[in-house]
Amino acid sequence: MAGRGAAAPPLLSAAAAGSLAVCAAQLGLAWALGRRLGGRCAAADRWVLGWLCYDVLVHCTLEGPFVYLSLIGTVAESDNIFASLWKEYGRADARWLYSDPTIVSLEILTVVLDGLLALILIYAIIKDKYYRHFIQITLCVCELYGGWMTFCPDWLIGSPNLNTSNWLYLWVYLVFFNGIWIVLPGLLLWQSWLGLKQMHHEKSNTRKKIR
């Protein structure tokens, strides 16, 4: 039992604080890029662009290095700044440390396909392209599928790789950082639904006027 003079353990380790700082920096950069790119867009689309810029940054600067490290070895065996970030996340989900085939397969798809779709969608929104909602729906479905397949296989065997004993690992790493890739794609699907519905009504009204 610690004596009265013992210092209380920190709420965040240095590794955790560094990882969260990197995520915050990416979020700030993405927000700035979204505002700059969407200067002529509607307010809602500027928010969407900010999210998409964050999406691309994460896929390219975090998940891309994870895929590389997992294909040449494992995160646990690697020793660099990217490995240290994933080792911290691996405290919550051990599969990311040892090149779990399901995780690596999903991340390859995420980096290549989702990253490309997000870039195309950014262009489609800025240039107001006709295929914007097709790309948006496709990207959202891919990301929702990725979220489901990240956790469902582990849930079905009793979640042996998930560490929920610590509030940071459970609520920040597992729930928050994975939940945003469920909530925001869901909201974008709803936006596409409303956009397509509006286009259909406008087309129907135009036909009625012609008749």
Side-chain angles (χ1 to χ4, degrees), residues 28 30 47 71 78 98 110 130 170 178 189 209:
W47 281 96
L71 292 177
S78 302
Y98 301 107
T110 297
Y130 67 91
L170 173 59
N178 289 284
L189 282 176
K209 289 179 181 179

Side-chain angles (χ1 to χ4, degrees), residues 111-171:
V111 171
V112 177
L113 180 59
D114 291 5
L116 179 60
L117 287 172
L119 287 172
I120 295 172
L121 182 54
I122 289 171
Y123 175 81
I125 292 172
I126 294 170
K127 298 297 184 180
D128 194 25
K129 294 295 184 180
Y130 67 91
Y131 51 78
R132 178 257 176 92
H133 287 295
F134 172 77
I135 298 296
Q136 185 162 306
I137 291 169
T138 304
L139 173 61
C140 292
V141 170
C142 286
E143 290 184 333
L144 291 172
Y145 172 79
W148 175 256
M149 289 303 298
T150 295
F151 288 102
C152 185
D154 209 59
W155 290 337
L156 292 176
I157 57 174
S159 304
N161 295 294
L162 304 182
N163 180 3
T164 59
S165 64
N166 180 291
W167 69 270
L168 177 67
Y169 303 157
L170 173 59
W171 295 110

